Amino acid sequence: MRISVDPDSDVPPFEQVRSSIAEQITSGDLAVGAKLPTVRALAAELGIAANTAAKAYRELEQTGLIETRGRAGTFVSDAGDQAAARAAEAAATYAQITQALGIPKTDALAIVQAALKA
């Protein structure tokens, strides 16, 4: 797992951690079933407060990307695969709609990029 926290960023540290882990899960870089470091270990590794790491994990768990199995630890759930499949399905639907509307590919991509920035 590769995570870095930029203390000078406008993005809060917990969000930097959360988004980095989420991206690695949805891209497949973190496989389903992969064990994540403990909150304390992650906090120590990144030089952040344990509460910051815990908040990132809580938000990931609420979205279903990770799951805590008691004393066994925290693991990547299969929701990452499901999320990627749902996103691919939505992208295919979007592509069909924009093609039917006659929207050029470059414009369709610009619409997506603008939506992702929002």
Side-chain angles (χ1 to χ4, degrees), residues 42-101:
L42 181 63
E45 179 182 329
L46 298 175
I48 59 176
N51 285 341
T52 301
K55 183 174 182 179
Y57 273 14
R58 270 193 312 274
E59 291 199 5
L60 289 164
E61 195 160 20
Q62 287 173 348
T63 62
L65 290 175
I66 65 172
E67 60 187 4
T68 300
R69 301 178 191 160
R71 295 193 181 274
T74 303
F75 298 85
V76 174
S77 73
D78 66 352
D81 286 346
Q82 294 170 8
R86 286 179 53 204
E89 185 178 319
T93 300
Y94 177 74
Q96 290 172 347
I97 291 169
T98 56
Q99 287 173 353
L101 294 172

